[in-house]
Structure formats: structure tokens, C-alpha cells
Amino acid sequence: MNKKLAAALSGGAALALALTGCSDDSAQADEWAKKVCDGVQPQVKKIQEANDSINEASQEKNSSADVKKADAAAFEKISGAYKSLASAVDNAGPPPVEDGEKLHADAVDELRNISAKYGQLQKTVDGLDTKDQSKFAEGLQDVASQLDTLGKSGDKALSKLQAGEVGKAMANQKGCKRTGNAPGV
């Protein structure tokens, strides 16, 4: 069951990396992209580490209590990473493009919403009963379903943010370059 959680989380990691594939030759776009990208890489690393801990917990013959602890800690870490991503985008301000203020506000709102949803998942996992294996498995299945929905929950604002002029500038920033083992966007 925990393997479903791990698979569903890959969608969330891809969403975090949506900021990493982002083009403009202008100095303003480069400056804006640097502000965002400097805050991206550490958060993407945290999300990947959290995903790895869930994968690890699902691979081993861990007790329900250990799985619960690993999953809750991972969701807390992912929630914090998305909150930090929202802050990085928010602190950079609107990108220097047409409709930049709306793109900025939409992306920040989306990242904060994702952070809150992962926080809710952490609370859900914390509340699972590990004494009843059947109820625990059922609870994990519900969490995996919520993760799947969250992973598919649209990264439209982020996609719009990374498109066009600003996208090229972001792609050129060290903090927004994809690492070799990062999932594609």
C-alpha cells in the first residue's frame, strides 16, 4: 500500500520541479529568475529526500507504526518545502512580463495551497490507527488517493509562470537546473 503513496508523490515532486524548466534575454528577467531559482533547489532536494524516505519505508518490512512515522515526517517536510517555494516566488515579486502580477499571485497561491494539503495529509497519517492492520491499510489507501489527486491538481499557474520570456531566464539559473535524478516536468 505504501508503494501507492510513493508513486503518487512523484506527481508532487514534478510539480515542485515545474519551476525548474523555465526564457528571456533581458536583464530584468534574469534578475527575477535568479531570485526565484536561488530558493528552489534546496526545497526540491527536501521533497526528493521525503519521497525517498517514503519509498524506503515501503520497501522494508517495517511495522505500521514505523510506516506511519516515516510518512507523517515526509509529508511535514514536503509541506514545509512547498511553503518555502511559495515564499521564494512571493519574495521575487511579479515577473517582468505582461500579466506578471496575476501569474505571480496564482503561482504563490497554488504553492501555498499544496503546502496546506500536504500538512493535512500529515495530520491524516498521524491519526491513522496502527493497531488495526485493516483500518491502517484502508487509511493509507485513502491517503494515496488524496496524493494522486494532489499530484494531478493542476500546475497551471506554475506552467504559466515558467512560460515565455521568464522561462528561458529560469532555465539558465543554476538553482533551476534539473539534477540528473530529478523527475521530468
Side-chain angles (χ1 to χ4, degrees):
M1 179 48 57
N2 216 27
K3 290 179 184 181
K4 285 187 178 181
L5 288 175
L9 276 172
S10 65
L15 182 57
L17 289 170
L19 288 171
T20 67
C22 304
S23 152
D24 185 310
D25 297 324
S26 79
Q28 279 186 326
D30 287 338
E31 184 179 322
W32 182 87
K34 182 169 178 23
K35 287 179 189 176
V36 171
C37 294
D38 284 351
V40 166
Q41 199 60 42
Q43 304 317 315
V44 169
K45 184 177 180 188
K46 287 178 186 177
I47 291 168
Q48 289 172 334
E49 289 170 353
N51 287 336
D52 290 346
S53 73
I54 288 177
N55 284 329
E56 196 174 294
S58 69
Q59 300 295 324
E60 299 173 5
K61 299 266 183 197
N62 289 324
S63 70
S64 295
D66 289 341
V67 170
K68 174 181 172 175
K69 183 178 177 182
D71 288 357
F75 291 143
E76 180 177 31
K77 191 173 197 175
I78 292 169
S79 176
Y82 275 107
K83 186 175 182 179
S84 294
L85 285 170
S87 292
V89 173
D90 195 23
N91 291 338
V97 295
E98 183 179 332
D99 215 14
E101 289 193 26
K102 179 172 178 13
L103 293 174
H104 173 258
D106 289 349
V108 170
D109 287 347
E110 184 172 345
L111 290 165
R112 287 182 178 150
N113 185 39
I114 292 167
S115 172
K117 287 182 180 180
Y118 274 105
Q120 291 169 351
L121 285 176
Q122 180 214 348
K123 290 177 184 176
T124 299
V125 169
D126 277 337
L128 294 178
D129 180 6
T130 58
K131 294 176 184 156
D132 183 336
Q133 195 64 25
S134 175
K135 283 186 179 181
F136 181 70
E138 189 177 299
L140 282 182
Q141 187 171 4
D142 182 50
V143 168
S145 175
Q146 291 176 48
L147 272 173
D148 189 46
T149 301
L150 180 58
K152 294 176 182 175
S153 73
D155 56 346
K156 293 175 188 170
L158 294 176
S159 295
K160 289 178 184 176
L161 186 65
Q162 71 177 4
E165 298 174 12
V166 175
K168 287 181 190 169
M170 291 180 80
N172 292 327
Q173 296 298 317
K174 182 179 178 183
C176 280
K177 291 191 188 275
R178 294 181 194 174
T179 58
N181 62 350
V185 181

